[in-house]
Amino acid sequence: MAGTVGEKTGRIRNLLILIGALFAVGTGLSLQQDFTQARKDRFELAISSGKILFRTIVATRTWIASHGGVYVPVTETIRPNPYLTVPNRDVRTTDGRQLTLVNPAYMTRLVGEILTGEGYAVHITSLKVLRPGNAPDEWERAALERFDKGSALEYSLTGPAGNRVFRYMEPLKTDASCLQCHGGQGYKVGDVRGGIGIAFPYAPFEQSIRSSKLRSIATHAVSFAVALAILLFLGFRIMKLAGSLEESRLQVRTLEGILPMCANCKKIRNEGAKATDPGAWMPVDSYIAGHSEATFSHGICPECARTLYGWSGKEPPPAG
């Protein structure tokens, strides 16, 4: 009997272990998905950051181009642009101040110098440069070549692990205002004549990814611990109830079905035995004792006591 109970509780225990293992695998897969999503979200945030900065620079360039450039005082940091060959590039005010014309390209370089202090690098470049300092590096050259083939956006992570840099670049299209300086290079309105590259450290995004991973690990660990505790509690309860039920079932064996009984002597025929087989019929008490946990004690009922012993009913019945 104990072996049967042990087998049932063992099966339940194995089932609980399987459920726990499946839940652990599910938790691991969910955690991995969170990690992947965190990396994807931060990478998309870096793309958005590059795009916003590019749009801001382009808006500034558009405003300057629409005004034909702007004049600013010449200083130690702002000198006349030797690559800008237009009339009245340098003028002097009536009070003697010297001004120089700043075009969109020069303004882009000035903005880049300011952003350098914030960790950003802004570089205007082209495959046909007027200014040597605008020559593309290897990554920018590959991006510019893809722009010529129809690409509208280029970005990637470069550099060694722990010191990676996010690089972003979009093309610059030629419009009518550009032809004053670049018409001699063979560009036409609508042509891709270069691009603006933006680079910034990816470390803050990686730090954000690590923070997100730690939060996800803590959340999944708590959820797994709670679920495991519930599973163990319910599992032990089920095992205990299953053991009690099996013990009760083994203790109470019942006789079921139709029993073939002799109409005269009331013996019962064994299951599967033929009526003519020797030993096929047995007394009721022997049959029940062999098919249940019941035991018998014997006595004499009043009717049999009268028949067998002539019991009158006044004295105690004879003992069985």
Side-chain angles (χ1 to χ4, degrees), residues 15-99:
L15 179 60
L16 292 173
I17 292 174
L18 177 61
I19 294 173
L22 291 175
F23 188 77
V25 171
T27 301
L29 292 175
S30 175
L31 192 61
Q32 183 62 39
Q33 183 178 9
D34 280 3
F35 288 174
T36 302
Q37 189 63 46
R39 289 192 295 268
K40 180 180 178 182
D41 290 344
R42 300 321 185 270
F43 194 77
E44 291 180 350
L45 181 60
I47 295 173
S48 297
S49 299
K51 184 174 295 187
I52 291 171
L53 182 53
F54 178 85
R55 297 286 188 273
T56 303
I57 293 173
V58 169
T60 303
R61 290 169 56 89
T62 301
W63 184 88
I64 292 174
S66 67
H67 290 78
V70 294
Y71 284 98
V72 299
V74 175
T75 64
E76 293 183 0
T77 57
I78 301 178
R79 309 298 298 174
N81 184 359
Y83 303 98
L84 180 60
T85 57
V86 295
N88 300 320
R89 186 196 68 184
D90 302 307
V91 298
R92 190 174 294 276
T93 64
T94 55
D95 59 359
R97 288 188 300 167
Q98 184 179 355
L99 304 179

Side-chain angles (χ1 to χ4, degrees), residues 255 268 282-299:
L255 298 175
I268 298 176
M282 62 177 57
V284 172
D285 57 346
S286 298
Y287 184 89
I288 294 177
H291 290 77
S292 73
E293 298 296 328
T295 56
F296 290 87
S297 63
H298 294 83

Side-chain angles (χ1 to χ4, degrees), residues 219-286:
T219 301
H220 280 76
V222 171
S223 299
F224 181 75
V226 171
L228 187 61
I230 294 174
L231 180 65
L232 290 175
F233 174 76
L234 294 178
F236 282 121
R237 291 284 297 172
I238 293 172
M239 290 172 61
K240 184 176 180 181
L241 290 174
S244 298
L245 181 62
E246 181 65 14
E247 289 179 358
S248 300
R249 190 188 71 81
L250 292 174
Q251 289 174 0
V252 181
R253 295 174 59 191
T254 59
L255 298 175
E256 298 178 351
I258 299 175
L259 302 178
M261 175 179 285
C262 176
N264 180 53
C265 68
K266 308 305 180 183
K267 289 183 178 179
I268 298 176
R269 190 176 79 230
N270 267 328
E271 298 176 21
K274 294 181 180 180
T276 57
D277 289 345
W281 299 88
M282 62 177 57
V284 172
D285 57 346
S286 298

Side-chain angles (χ1 to χ4, degrees), residues 193-222:
R193 60 177 180 80
I196 297 178
I198 300 169
F200 48 86
Y202 199 65
F205 298 91
E206 292 178 326
Q207 178 60 44
S208 179
I209 292 172
R210 286 192 290 271
S211 298
S212 178
K213 285 183 176 180
L214 290 176
R215 287 193 298 270
S216 183
I217 290 173
T219 301
H220 280 76
V222 171

